[in-house]
Amino acid sequence: MAKRVTKRRLETNERLLDAAEKAFAQHGFHGVSIGELCARAGYTTGAFYSNYASKDELFLALFTRHSEAVLKQLGEAVEQALASGDPLATFIELASVVDEETQTWFLISTEFTLYAIRNPEVAEVLARHDAAIRSGIAELITPLLATASPSGVVAADLDMLLRFVVAVREGGLAQSLVEPTVLPHGELERRFLPALLRTL
């Protein structure tokens, strides 16, 4: 029988997610116990297990929350870009902004990705979540890509293109966090992606 979603349960869940996000960013996914997460949120472990079966499940809930926020931001960026004189360049400029939340999520997700690589079952679940957000992004940017290529991009190519963009985004972010004075945040995306997308 499904658990009834009450206002109190929603508040508990949000506090657990907030506590997990901060703890994972500071100490790593494996560096904090469920008990410590609960203490940070002001709950007992019973509250945790009434919402999640494991830390893995908690991370995936964080992933979903983050994905929803990203899709909202990208949707707003697409609207602004389509109203500009150079939609692709404008969108990439808006989408390549790196704030504190972006950096926090990068730390959390990178560590969980390494954990997933070592655990095939976790990798399979993470891959499904990754595919879902790529699908959402593909839907958002299709009108944008049409401004550069009226014939459009077929779905299979678009998924591979998004994989490439994610690789550039995450690889560039890793380098810029290590060498912020040498490689400013978003520089690789701003410099190369507009020309690449127009070529494709």
Side-chain angles (χ1 to χ4, degrees), residues 85-96:
D86 189 345
L88 279 179
T90 300
F91 175 74
I92 290 167
E93 181 68 34
L94 292 169
S96 62

Side-chain angles (χ1 to χ4, degrees), residues 16-17 20 24 29 33-34 37 48-62 112 115 122:
L16 286 170
L17 290 174
F24 290 163
F29 180 74
S33 69
I34 289 174
L37 287 175
F48 177 90
Y49 286 111
S50 70
N51 286 274
Y52 301 103
S54 64
K55 274 203 299 182
D56 289 12
E57 191 174 291
L58 175 65
F59 168 82
L60 294 172
L62 268 177
F112 192 84
Y115 166 57
V122 179

Side-chain angles (χ1 to χ4, degrees), residues 22-44:
K22 291 175 183 175
F24 290 163
Q26 290 173 352
H27 305 292
F29 180 74
H30 294 294
V32 58
S33 69
I34 289 174
E36 289 168 327
L37 287 175
C38 293
R40 279 175 172 254
Y43 293 118
T44 64

Side-chain angles (χ1 to χ4, degrees), residues 167-177 183-186 188-189:
V168 172
R169 169 73 164 173
E170 295 186 353
L173 183 53
Q175 293 179 60
S176 66
L177 288 172
L183 183 67
H185 294 321
L188 295 182
E189 298 98 298

Side-chain angles (χ1 to χ4, degrees), residues 8-20 41 43 51-52 65:
R8 183 176 180 182
R9 179 176 290 278
L10 288 173
E11 290 174 352
T12 299
N13 184 52
E14 283 301 304
R15 284 173 60 179
L16 286 170
L17 290 174
D18 290 342
Y43 293 118
N51 286 274
Y52 301 103
R65 185 171 78 166

Side-chain angles (χ1 to χ4, degrees), residues 29-197:
F29 180 74
H30 294 294
V32 58
S33 69
I34 289 174
E36 289 168 327
L37 287 175
C38 293
R40 279 175 172 254
Y43 293 118
T44 64
T45 55
F48 177 90
Y49 286 111
S50 70
N51 286 274
Y52 301 103
S54 64
K55 274 203 299 182
D56 289 12
E57 191 174 291
L58 175 65
F59 168 82
L60 294 172
L62 268 177
F63 187 109
T64 297
R65 185 171 78 166
H66 178 75
S67 298
E68 290 170 352
V70 166
L71 290 175
K72 181 181 178 183
Q73 292 170 357
L74 291 181
E76 293 169 353
V78 167
E79 288 182 8
Q80 291 182 53
L82 289 173
S84 72
D86 189 345
L88 279 179
T90 300
F91 175 74
I92 290 167
E93 181 68 34
L94 292 169
S96 62
V97 171
V98 175
D99 55 17
E100 185 176 347
E101 186 177 340
T102 303
Q103 294 181 49
T104 296
W105 181 250
F106 180 77
L107 292 173
I108 297 169
S109 62
T110 298
E111 186 176 11
F112 192 84
T113 298
L114 293 174
Y115 166 57
I117 290 170
R118 297 185 182 99
N119 296 272
E121 291 182 4
V122 179
E124 186 176 339
V125 177
L126 181 59
R128 288 198 297 270
H129 280 70
D130 285 338
I133 191 169
R134 282 198 310 274
S135 177
I137 294 172
E139 185 176 344
L140 286 173
I141 68 170
T142 295
L144 189 69
L145 294 177
T147 65
S149 174
S151 60
V153 182
V154 298
D157 289 340
L158 182 51
D159 185 69
M160 292 302 288
L161 175 61
L162 286 172
R163 287 177 180 271
F164 175 78
V165 171
V166 168
V168 172
R169 169 73 164 173
E170 295 186 353
L173 183 53
Q175 293 179 60
S176 66
L177 288 172
V178 173
E179 301 178 277
T181 59
V182 177
L183 183 67
H185 294 321
E187 180 65 20
L188 295 182
E189 298 98 298
R190 289 190 294 269
R191 184 176 296 191
F192 297 110
L193 287 184
L196 172 65
L197 293 174

